[in-house]
Amino acid sequence: MGMMAFSKLNKLMPMRKAKTGGTRISVAAAEMPEGYCAYVIGDIHGRNDLLVPLLANIAADAVKRSALNTHLIFLGDYVDRGPASAAVIDTILDLDLPQMNIVTLNGNHEASMLTFLDDPLKGKRWLHFGGDATVQSYGIDISVGELTSEDIVSVREKLQKALPDRHRAFLEGLVESYTLGDYFFAHAGIDPTVALSAQKERDLLWIRDEFLLHGDAYEKVIVHGHSITPAPEFKTNRIGIDTGAFYSNKLTCLVLDGKNKDIL
Ligand SMILES: [Mn+2]
């Protein structure tokens, strides 16, 4: 067999067989498809003041790279905690980046907001983990401390009225996961015991330690938000980019281009 044929064959060979079958890929080896570039934004949580300048940086950076296909991927948690959740959704809906494929993933905070809108008594917990700030961002006055069941139902009625149709459609249209090249994107992570194709929404949106503490590589490198670290976290099997923007003032964007993984 000649050199050319050998190297071609070698490229097709999986790196390492896992118990469940299939290739396992490490962060160091992971790459984007030829000509593709992706900008990935972590948890925004109502910080429109950080999102707007970051988007300007991304647009300027994309011009320099001139990739044939550029993705802009949001990892979810647009709303809650920070002061301007409604404005964040407007900013994303009004994006004028026709050359980019925009992907908006679902976060546990958006799922909780929808649960509250659909059944406020079942979903009232949302008001206590950041939802109160979202309600206020739609111009509704609430003080969370002493809400009766009637108060909660009334807050829901007001929010239902104030929420623009396109915001409701945005929340309902969010996707659970996305795959590109050697990468799998999800808000919180994955269940390490389950194939990527069989993940459950609950894990993709909420999982923490079972995923964060798992050391082995997966079929793809997992890019996620949800669990806050002071700086972007590069592990063998995953990249975490929730840097706690709502209180740290650091909204992180990961740029994937070829084998490069840069922070913008
Ligand atoms: Mn979050």
Side-chain angles (χ1 to χ4, degrees):
M1 180 186 304
M3 277 293 271
M4 286 283 271
F6 177 77
S7 80
K8 207 170 182 186
L9 180 69
N10 208 24
K11 259 190 187 163
L12 298 171
M13 303 263 280
M15 288 179 44
R16 181 154 66 90
K17 283 280 186 186
K19 274 176 259 167
T20 50
T23 311
R24 298 266 157 156
I25 187 111
S26 70
V27 164
E31 57 187 327
M32 291 287 284
E34 182 84 42
Y36 279 64
C37 169
Y39 296 89
V40 194
I41 299 179
D43 301 38
I44 302 163
H45 282 305
R47 292 300 301 269
N48 196 50
D49 60 323
L50 301 176
L51 177 60
V52 170
L54 179 61
L55 289 167
N57 286 347
I58 289 170
D61 187 86
V63 171
K64 285 185 272 171
R65 288 177 196 264
S66 64
L68 293 173
N69 181 307
T70 302
H71 274 68
L72 176 58
I73 301 173
F74 292 90
L75 292 178
D77 279 11
Y78 313 91
V79 301
D80 294 359
R81 294 184 168 146
S85 295
V88 166
I89 296 178
D90 278 330
T91 295
I92 295 171
L93 288 173
D94 293 338
L95 279 173
D96 184 22
L97 298 166
Q99 74 282 19
M100 289 193 193
N101 299 293
I102 295 164
V103 177
T104 48
L105 291 177
N106 199 7
N108 60 310
H109 284 261
E110 286 74 47
S112 299
M113 183 176 175
L114 275 182
T115 301
F116 176 79
L117 284 165
D118 293 342
D119 185 344
L121 294 181
K122 188 181 148 204
K124 65 184 176 186
R125 206 167 65 94
W126 174 63
L127 293 174
H128 297 276
F129 65 86
D132 54 336
T134 298
V135 169
Q136 283 162 354
S137 80
Y138 286 95
I140 299 155
D141 206 19
I142 58 160
S143 56
V144 161
E146 36 208 274
L147 290 180
T148 63
S149 293
E150 289 79 29
D151 293 336
I152 290 163
V153 169
S154 151
V155 167
R156 182 263 181 192
E157 292 311 312
K158 287 178 192 164
L159 181 58
Q160 182 91 321
K161 252 190 205 144
L163 192 72
D165 287 347
R166 66 180 201 145
H167 285 214
R168 176 87 197 200
F170 173 79
L171 294 170
E172 287 174 345
L174 301 170
V175 297
E176 290 168 19
S177 67
Y178 194 76
T179 302
L180 194 56
D182 293 328
Y183 299 96
F184 181 92
F185 305 87
H187 175 64
I190 62 156
D191 176 351
T193 66
V194 172
L196 291 184
S197 57
Q199 292 289 320
K200 293 196 177 71
E201 178 184 312
R202 169 125 206 121
D203 294 316
L204 295 168
L205 267 55
W206 294 87
I207 201 159
R208 290 200 193 268
D209 281 358
E210 299 139 276
F211 165 66
L212 299 173
L213 302 176
H214 186 81
D216 297 340
Y218 305 109
E219 302 147 68
K220 306 264 179 190
V221 164
I222 315 301
V223 180
H224 66 95
H226 186 58
S227 293
I228 298 171
T229 46
E233 191 171 49
F234 290 82
K235 298 284 187 183
T236 313
N237 56 3
R238 63 180 179 85
I239 303 172
I241 60 166
D242 179 4
T243 45
F246 72 90
Y247 72 89
S248 71
N249 302 315
K250 278 189 293 182
L251 178 60
T252 293
C253 176
L254 170 70
V255 192
L256 301 171
D257 189 354
K259 276 198 171 186
N260 293 332
K261 298 105 189 158
D262 302 314
I263 299 297
L264 195 66

